[in-house]
């Protein structure tokens, strides 16, 4: 089955740059998307189509793609960025079922 | 304001049934695909399934874990999405979110895209005896 692999955790100090990766064999053919989820809240879309940022999302959030890996970069991390981050793509086998990565807990030290 | 509000969650015994609802407002509901996503306690997000819009014949898809037990439907006249859950198992215990889908083909890249740009706050389903 199609899987997206993320590191379980990433830790950075305030003001530093956090990078969260997501990898899968089908990613060069399918876009990736990123969601932020804070405790007790619903997910929020922060990046779509690998690198596009929805309106209202701070410019410090960016996305990039290289081969089979996509990366969410948060520049100048703030305490409020501490959250779980999930990548998402679509299974390209035909029905385009949604697939989520396992999630990465971002800790701001 | 674009909004999705889920309801219908609760405690149900294994083998039982439950119907969740999602009320949409602030956008043209009938134009959009709609999804259900769930999150078990302390776990990650799991896609449950989707319904396409009228232009795409309201076709549905489901995750393997719920196929044959769960049914997604919609009533565009009421701006509402539903999730009928039958033969519930303890592992179906989760917060269930409805989400608005945005889909299409990017002509420049040739890639299909599908993501969820609006989410409800979720409703909790507990399956326990």
């Amino acid at each position: 089955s199609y899987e997206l692999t993320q590191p379980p955790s990433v830790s950075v100090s305030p003001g530093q740059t956090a990078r969260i990766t997501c990898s899968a064999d089908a990613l060069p053919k399918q876009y990736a998307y990123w969601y932020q989820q804070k405790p007790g809240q619903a997910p929020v879309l922060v990046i779509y189509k690998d690198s596009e940022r929805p309106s209202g999302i701070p410019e410090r959030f960016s996305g990039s793609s290289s081969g089979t890996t996509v990366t969410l970069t948060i520049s100048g991390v703030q305490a409020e960025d501490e959250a779980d981050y999930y990548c998402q793509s679509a299974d390209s086998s035909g029905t385009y079922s949604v697939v989520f990565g396992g999630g990465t807990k971002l800790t701001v030290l | 304001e674009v909004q999705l509000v889920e309801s219908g969650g609760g405690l149900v015994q294994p083998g039982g049934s439950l119907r969740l609802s999602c009320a949409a407002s602030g956008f043209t509901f009938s134009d959009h695909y709609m999804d259900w996503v769930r999150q078990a306690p302390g776990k990650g997000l799991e896609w449950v399934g989707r319904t396409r819009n009228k232009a795409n014949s309201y076709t549905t898809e489901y995750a393997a874990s719920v196929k044959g037990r769960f049914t997604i439907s919609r009533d565009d006249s009421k701006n509402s999405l539903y999730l009928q859950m039958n033969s519930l198992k303890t592992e179906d215990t989760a917060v269930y979110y409805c989400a608005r889908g945005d889909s299409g083909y990017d002509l420049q890249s040739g890639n299909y895209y599908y993501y969820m740009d609006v989410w409800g706050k979720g409703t909790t389903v507990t399956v326990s005896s």
Side-chain angles (χ1 to χ4, degrees):
Chain A
S1 63
Y2 182 42
E3 294 184 357
L4 299 175
T5 301
Q6 299 180 234
S9 62
V10 168
S11 299
V12 295
S13 299
Q16 290 189 329
T17 297
R19 294 180 179 85
I20 301 172
T21 59
C22 175
S23 62
D25 290 342
L27 276 176
K29 303 175 185 176
Q30 294 293 329
Y31 284 120
Y33 315 89
W34 291 94
Y35 302 88
Q36 176 195 66
Q37 186 181 34
K38 297 181 179 180
Q41 297 185 20
V44 173
L45 179 71
V46 294
I47 294 290
Y48 65 100
K49 291 185 184 180
D50 289 349
S51 60
E52 301 292 324
R53 193 174 53 249
S55 61
I57 300 301
E59 290 184 6
R60 64 181 181 272
F61 288 86
S62 64
S64 62
S65 175
S66 178
T68 59
T69 299
V70 292
T71 302
L72 173 68
T73 300
I74 310 172
S75 304
V77 168
Q78 301 182 6
E80 66 196 51
D81 300 330
E82 184 164 288
D84 293 324
Y85 291 85
Y86 295 91
C87 63
Q88 177 244 309
S89 190
D91 184 342
S92 59
S93 64
T95 61
Y96 297 105
S97 300
V98 169
V99 180
F100 288 101
T104 298
K105 170 66 177 177
L106 175 65
T107 299
V108 182
L109 301 171
Chain B
E1 178 191 7
V2 175
Q3 195 171 16
L4 297 171
V5 179
E6 302 92 338
S7 61
L11 175 63
V12 61
Q13 292 188 337
S17 298
L18 204 60
R19 189 195 196 205
L20 306 184
S21 299
C22 171
S25 59
F27 65 98
T28 305
F29 178 77
S30 59
D31 285 348
H32 287 269
Y33 293 15
M34 296 295 297
D35 294 73
W36 286 98
V37 176
R38 68 183 181 182
Q39 186 170 35
K43 302 297 184 182
L45 301 174
E46 180 188 15
W47 181 73
V48 173
R50 78 158 67 95
T51 173
R52 292 186 171 87
N53 55 14
K54 181 178 181 180
N56 289 278
S57 305
Y58 297 126
T59 53
T60 54
E61 275 124 30
Y62 300 92
S65 58
V66 307
K67 196 170 186 179
R69 300 188 299 123
F70 290 12
T71 302
I72 297 173
S73 61
R74 61 192 294 165
D75 185 339
D76 289 350
S77 69
K78 296 182 178 179
N79 290 338
S80 292
L81 175 71
Y82 306 102
L83 179 64
Q84 177 67 43
M85 303 185 293
N86 298 330
S87 303
L88 282 161
K89 307 175 182 180
T90 55
E91 52 262 42
D92 295 319
T93 294
V95 175
Y96 284 75
Y97 298 100
C98 68
R100 185 178 79 174
D102 191 348
S103 68
Y105 280 95
D106 185 306
L107 295 177
Q108 191 169 10
S109 67
N111 282 356
Y112 173 81
Y113 64 87
Y114 192 93
Y115 59 96
M116 291 150 281
D117 62 348
V118 179
W119 295 64
K121 295 185 185 302
T123 186
T124 300
V125 173
T126 303
V127 184
S128 175
S129 55

